[in-house]
């Protein structure tokens, strides 16, 4: 990717990212792992030396994806880890996700997602995120399945004075 953007912020200092993952499914249940390079800059470690804050993110997740009356749900738990990251930044955190989506006219899908963590990255307290999305799937062209999508999200948290309350979007 040309940039790894997470909820409106570059995780690679506006640089390229190499990402990949693996997911296993059994009926409605799933387990997965996903990873990317990150660039959070440098800081002083406990020994007083300049050290990279983090250069890798590995996410572990699992959950279930049931359906009911045409509505697709996703209930999951996600653990974001930053192996080798600067310990004083307290980057690793656990997050819970709930989502529902509904497809209208076979091509138009609307979704609503909530993310919540009791202790966000950096030890900044609880964090809550709500996202609304819409996508339209065009007819397949050769091997491609083109689509048009948009998302708007709102994030707020316990320590909002640190800039954690904001709205983001993408199209």
């Amino acid at each position: 990717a040309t940039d790894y953007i997470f909820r409106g912020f570059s995780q690679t200092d506006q640089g390229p990212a190499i990402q990949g993952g693996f997911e296993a499914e059994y009926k409605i249940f799933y387990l997965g792992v996903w990873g990317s390079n990150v660039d959070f800059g440098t800081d002083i470690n406990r020994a007083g030396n300049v050290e990279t804050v983090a250069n890798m993110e590995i996410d572990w997740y699992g959950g279930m994806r049931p359906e009911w009356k045409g509505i697709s749900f996703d209930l999951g738990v996600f653990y974001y880890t930053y192996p080798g990251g600067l310990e004083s930044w307290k980057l690793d955190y656990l997050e819970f996700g709930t989502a529902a989506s509904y497809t209208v006219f076979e091509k138009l899908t609307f979704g609503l997602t909530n993310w919540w963590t009791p202790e966000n990255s950096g030890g900044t307290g609880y964090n809550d995120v709500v996202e609304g999305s819409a996508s339209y799937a065009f007819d397949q062209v050769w091997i491609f399945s083109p689509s048009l999508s948009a998302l708007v999200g709102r994030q707020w948290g316990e320590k909002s004075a640190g800039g954690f309350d904001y709205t983001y979007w993408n199209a």
Side-chain angles (χ1 to χ4, degrees):
T2 58
D3 193 0
Y4 168 20
I5 298 175
F6 181 72
R7 298 187 185 144
F9 287 96
S10 176
Q11 304 297 291
T12 52
D13 195 24
Q14 299 180 346
I18 297 173
Q19 304 172 335
F22 174 79
E23 184 173 288
E25 295 180 5
Y26 178 73
K27 297 186 181 182
I28 66 169
F29 300 99
Y30 63 90
L31 289 173
V33 61
W34 180 89
S36 178
N37 61 296
V38 296
D39 183 353
F40 296 155
T42 59
D43 200 0
I44 306 297
N45 66 15
R46 292 182 185 182
N49 301 317
V50 175
E51 190 174 332
T52 299
V53 173
N55 58 21
M56 181 187 333
E57 174 183 335
I58 298 178
D59 305 338
W60 306 89
Y61 61 92
M64 62 181 186
R65 295 184 182 119
E67 289 194 23
W68 177 72
K69 296 193 177 192
I71 302 171
S72 298
F73 294 94
D74 190 336
L75 310 167
V77 178
F78 304 80
Y79 188 54
Y80 301 86
T81 65
Y82 300 84
L86 204 54
E87 287 183 31
S88 61
W89 277 53
K90 301 177 185 175
L91 294 171
D92 297 356
Y93 68 103
L94 182 70
E95 187 171 59
F96 302 92
T98 56
S101 63
Y102 185 74
T103 301
V104 183
F105 310 123
E106 296 182 22
K107 294 185 179 265
L108 180 61
T109 302
F110 293 101
L112 185 63
T113 304
N114 175 246
W115 301 97
W116 180 80
T117 179
E119 185 64 50
N120 201 15
S121 186
T124 56
Y126 79 82
N127 194 64
D128 212 348
V129 177
V130 174
E131 296 176 338
S133 62
S135 64
Y136 183 82
F138 294 97
D139 292 334
Q140 187 168 344
V141 178
W142 190 42
I143 61 170
F144 302 102
S145 300
S147 65
L148 181 63
S149 64
L151 177 140
V152 64
R154 175 75 181 158
Q155 174 170 296
W156 64 96
E158 185 173 341
K159 298 182 181 175
S160 60
F164 292 90
D165 291 3
Y166 64 95
T167 301
Y168 58 95
W169 65 274
N170 68 50

